[in-house]
Coordinates of all heavy atoms in Angstrom, one line a residue:
N33 N -25.8 -20.0 27.9 CA -24.7 -19.5 28.6 C -24.4 -18.1 28.1 O -23.9 -18.1 26.8 CB -23.4 -20.5 28.5 CG -23.9 -22.0 28.6 OD1 -24.5 -22.3 29.5 ND2 -23.5 -22.7 27.5
I34 N -24.6 -17.1 28.7 CA -24.5 -15.7 28.3 C -23.2 -15.1 28.6 O -22.9 -15.0 29.9 CB -25.8 -15.0 28.6 CG1 -27.0 -15.7 28.0 CG2 -25.7 -13.5 28.2 CD1 -28.4 -15.1 28.5
A35 N -22.5 -14.5 27.7 CA -21.3 -13.9 27.9 C -21.4 -12.7 28.8 O -22.5 -12.0 28.9 CB -20.6 -13.4 26.5
C36 N -20.4 -12.5 29.7 CA -20.4 -11.4 30.8 C -19.6 -10.2 30.4 O -19.3 -9.4 31.4 CB -20.1 -12.1 32.0 SG -21.1 -13.5 32.5
G37 N -19.1 -10.0 29.2 CA -18.4 -8.8 28.9 C -16.9 -9.0 28.8 O -16.3 -8.0 28.3
F38 N -16.2 -10.0 29.4 CA -14.8 -10.1 29.4 C -14.3 -10.6 28.1 O -13.3 -10.1 27.5 CB -14.4 -11.0 30.5 CG -14.0 -10.2 31.8 CD1 -14.9 -9.2 32.2 CD2 -13.1 -10.6 32.6 CE1 -14.7 -8.4 33.4 CE2 -12.9 -9.9 33.9 CZ -13.7 -8.9 34.2
H39 N -14.8 -11.8 27.6 CA -14.2 -12.4 26.3 C -15.2 -11.9 25.3 O -14.8 -12.0 24.0 CB -14.2 -13.9 26.4 CG -15.5 -14.6 26.3 ND1 -16.4 -14.7 27.3 CD2 -16.2 -15.1 25.2 CE1 -17.5 -15.4 27.0 NE2 -17.5 -15.6 25.7
A40 N -16.4 -11.5 25.5 CA -17.4 -11.2 24.4 C -18.6 -10.5 25.1 O -18.8 -10.6 26.4 CB -17.8 -12.5 23.7
G41 N -19.4 -9.9 24.3 CA -20.6 -9.3 24.8 C -20.5 -8.0 25.4 O -19.4 -7.5 25.6
D42 N -21.6 -7.3 25.7 CA -21.6 -6.0 26.3 C -22.9 -5.9 27.1 O -23.7 -6.7 27.0 CB -21.4 -4.8 25.3 CG -22.5 -4.8 24.3 OD1 -23.6 -5.0 24.6 OD2 -22.1 -4.4 23.0
P43 N -23.1 -4.8 27.9 CA -24.3 -4.7 28.7 C -25.7 -4.8 27.8 O -26.6 -5.4 28.3 CB -24.2 -3.4 29.4 CG -22.7 -3.2 29.6 CD -22.1 -3.7 28.1
D44 N -25.6 -4.1 26.6 CA -26.9 -4.2 25.9 C -27.1 -5.5 25.3 O -28.3 -6.0 25.4 CB -26.7 -3.1 24.7 CG -26.7 -1.7 25.2 OD1 -27.2 -1.4 26.2 OD2 -26.1 -0.8 24.5
V45 N -26.1 -6.1 24.9 CA -26.3 -7.5 24.3 C -26.7 -8.6 25.4 O -27.5 -9.4 25.3 CB -24.9 -8.1 23.6 CG1 -25.0 -9.5 23.3 CG2 -24.6 -7.2 22.5
M46 N -26.1 -8.3 26.6 CA -26.4 -9.3 27.7 C -28.0 -9.1 28.1 O -28.6 -10.1 28.2 CB -25.6 -9.0 29.0 CG -25.8 -9.8 30.1 SD -24.8 -9.3 31.7 CE -23.3 -9.9 31.1
A47 N -28.3 -7.8 28.2 CA -29.8 -7.6 28.6 C -30.7 -8.1 27.5 O -31.7 -8.8 27.8 CB -30.0 -6.1 28.7

Side-chain angles (χ1 to χ4, degrees):
N33 319 307
I34 298 174
C36 302
F38 270 37
H39 78 275
D42 61 37
D44 292 335
V45 170
M46 183 184 287

